[in-house]
Amino acid sequence: MPDSDTTNATGAAATTATAGRKRLVSGPGLLLVWLYGVMVVGAVSRSAFQISTEFDRAPLPYALSAVAALAYAFITYSLVRGGETARKAALICCAAELAGVLAVGTWTVVRPESFPDTTVWSQFGMGYLFIPVILPITGMLWLRKRREAATR
């Protein structure tokens, strides 16, 4: 049965939260969700291992990897959730992610001694095939396109 035709315990028609949401994961958006999902797994795995085993060696890089993991997880969730509010939240988070990648990437190139170990965003994501710098740009373009498509 469609989401909008559900009935609650009192017999009244209820509209679920997903009924009014526009899907963000259709077409190329599905690839975007998949890539962000892979980055979640990579960043969470890396940061969890490094924080639990050698945090005292390089706390800043490991904490930044954890922040990257949280950003990736939030964007993935927002894309899957769908709707205009989730699209706006994902767009803001993609912009913040890009700012983080550019700041940390520049910092690791200019002052490499500040980072005794790498982060997901070190050298603009070179250890991750530059996906960390490409992904938020692609995400922002996709989310902007979805907004334009919704207004037509």
Side-chain angles (χ1 to χ4, degrees):
M1 208 176 339
D3 286 339
S4 59
D5 294 332
T6 60
T7 305
N8 65 16
T10 62
T15 304
T16 63
T18 58
R21 290 190 200 136
K22 297 278 187 193
R23 287 182 46 91
L24 295 173
V25 293
S26 60
L30 187 59
L31 177 61
L32 197 61
V33 168
W34 186 84
L35 287 171
Y36 267 112
V38 168
M39 293 303 291
V40 168
V41 172
V44 166
S45 301
R46 178 186 190 132
S47 64
F49 174 77
Q50 290 175 324
I51 287 171
S52 65
T53 61
E54 46 196 32
F55 186 73
D56 56 330
R57 190 177 121 201
L60 180 62
Y62 302 156
L64 288 172
S65 287
V67 169
L70 290 173
Y72 298 145
F74 181 79
I75 293 167
T76 304
Y77 169 77
S78 296
L79 291 171
V80 170
R81 186 175 186 331
E84 184 59 16
T85 302
R87 187 195 66 78
K88 287 178 183 177
L91 188 59
I92 291 167
C93 198
C94 282
E97 174 196 354
L98 180 60
V101 172
L102 295 176
V104 172
T106 302
W107 192 0
T108 57
V109 169
V110 174
R111 303 273 323 247
E113 68 278 0
S114 298
F115 289 82
D117 207 348
T118 60
T119 74
V120 174
W121 295 342
S122 291
Q123 298 171 336
F124 307 102
M126 186 168 72
Y128 286 81
L129 305 174
F130 297 103
I131 292 171
V133 77
I134 296 167
L135 202 53
I137 294 168
T138 306
M140 288 187 299
L141 291 172
W142 171 251
L143 291 163
R144 188 167 171 234
K145 180 181 176 192
R146 295 303 299 167
R147 183 194 69 199
E148 291 170 359
T151 60
R152 289 184 197 158

